[in-house]
Amino acid sequence: MHTSVTVPPDDRLLFSLSLGEQGIRFLLVSGKPLEEPVAWYGPIVVNTEAELKRAFAELHNGTFLKHQGGTRSGAASSRGRGRRRVRSV
C-alpha cells in the first residue's frame, strides 16, 4: 500500500505507525512547493510536454546525458560553479 499526503502550509501532520510482522518502510519528504509546471514519464521529470518529448528523443539518440568540462568525478570546480552538472554512473 502506498499513500501520499500533502499538508497545507502552517498545518501539522500527526501520524501513528504500527509495525507488522514484516516490519515497516516509511519515507517522509519535505520541501517548498516548486510552483512551476511538471511533466513526467517514467524516470524523466521536466517542465513541459515539449521538453519531455525532447528528453526521450535525446535518450533514444544517446545524447541525453551531456558532459561538461571540468573534473571527471563530477566534483565542483571554480570553472563549473553555478552550472548544472550531470554525470553518468
Side-chain angles (χ1 to χ4, degrees):
M1 175 175 78
H2 298 89
T3 302
S4 174
V5 178
T6 302
V7 181
D10 301 321
D11 262 2
R12 293 183 181 189
L13 176 65
L14 303 174
F15 52 90
S16 172
L17 303 173
S18 297
L19 187 62
E21 288 182 17
Q22 295 183 355
I24 190 168
R25 290 184 181 186
F26 178 76
L27 174 65
L28 175 65
V29 178
S30 175
K32 294 181 181 180
L34 293 176
E35 296 183 10
E36 60 186 56
V38 175
W40 112 80
Y41 186 83
I44 298 177
V45 180
V46 290
N47 294 110
T48 67
E49 291 290 326
E51 289 175 335
L52 192 58
K53 288 177 184 177
R54 185 172 49 245
F56 272 99
E58 289 176 359
L59 184 62
H60 179 73
N61 295 332
T63 59
F64 182 66
L65 293 177
K66 296 173 180 70
H67 297 275
Q68 297 177 355
T71 61
R72 282 193 220 169
S73 67
S77 67
S78 60
R79 254 182 7 181
R81 284 201 180 123
R83 288 188 284 166
R84 184 172 158 239
R85 299 187 58 119
V86 178
R87 72 179 176 123
S88 60
V89 182

